[in-house]
Amino acid sequence: MSNISIGTVSHNERIPYKIVPMTSELIPALAAIEQECFSVPWSEAMLAEELDNLCASYLVAVTEQGEVLGYAGIQIPAGEGYITNIAVREQYRRQGVAGELLGVFLRFAQANHLEFLTLEVRVSNTPAIQLYMKHGFAQVGRRKNYYDKPREDAIIMTREFGTERF
């Protein structure tokens, strides 16, 4: 895929997309999403390093025209899953993109018998907290002053997998 961009559509318009693995071609668009979504964004170099991380996987929601809607990352050390980030361009939010990306990780976790998935989220990020709760995550802890710009606590959320099936 070439000429990857981070194009725009109206907030209410739903467009078809597919979930693909992160590639080096996608990194500039992902770095732009990082700039838009986070006060302390990952750089292109940081994202590129993740391509060589054998314990990590990054997925990207992209249209057939190459527009990047959002992406998500996970690290899987020793049978546990740690979601590093889920980021969706503002104009594509509330269209199920984040839930679809998260769903892929949940299915992967169950199929590979991971003990749990866990993540941190800003205490002020109510939409993300609601998304995670909708997908079975529970608040299990708090990290004081975890985030910068602005300084803010993180809620630790975890979805455990045992004998449950979904």
Side-chain angles (χ1 to χ4, degrees):
M1 191 179 296
S2 61
N3 297 327
I4 300 301
S5 66
I6 53 172
T8 61
V9 297
S10 72
H11 180 70
N12 295 326
E13 183 181 349
R14 290 186 181 261
I15 60 172
Y17 61 89
K18 59 186 175 181
I19 306 293
V20 299
M22 177 174 76
T23 63
S24 59
E25 284 183 334
L26 295 168
I27 288 175
L30 301 184
I33 291 172
E34 282 282 321
Q35 289 286 329
E36 178 183 322
C37 295
F38 301 113
S39 61
V40 182
W42 288 16
S43 67
E44 286 189 31
M46 293 167 74
L47 289 163
E49 283 179 19
E50 291 300 298
L51 287 172
D52 296 324
N53 183 345
L54 298 179
C55 293
S57 178
Y58 286 78
L59 300 175
V60 182
V62 63
T63 68
E64 289 182 14
Q65 295 76 30
E67 295 179 65
V68 175
L69 311 181
Y71 84 104
I74 189 171
Q75 294 182 350
I76 306 165
E80 304 168 352
Y82 177 76
I83 296 174
T84 57
N85 42 18
I86 297 179
V88 176
R89 297 284 315 269
E90 185 173 357
Q91 67 265 36
Y92 301 118
R93 293 180 190 159
R94 299 200 157 295
Q95 297 183 31
V97 176
E100 182 79 20
L101 290 163
L102 181 58
V104 173
F105 289 156
L106 289 168
R107 290 187 296 277
F108 174 87
Q110 185 177 24
N112 289 278
H113 308 290
L114 298 186
E115 293 181 35
F116 60 83
L117 288 180
T118 192
L119 56 91
E120 289 96 6
V121 59
R122 282 184 181 270
V123 296
S124 64
N125 193 344
T126 304
I129 293 167
Q130 290 173 342
L131 172 72
Y132 301 135
M133 291 179 76
K134 175 181 170 185
H135 284 74
F137 285 76
Q139 297 181 26
V140 299
R142 191 176 189 111
R143 296 193 198 282
K144 296 296 271 177
N145 299 317
Y146 183 76
Y147 293 104
D148 290 324
K149 297 182 183 180
R151 171 98 32 218
E152 189 172 7
D153 292 356
I155 295 173
I156 303 166
M157 299 189 76
T158 300
R159 164 88 185 258
E160 294 186 11
F161 302 97
T163 58
E164 71 177 64
R165 298 287 176 228
F166 61 99

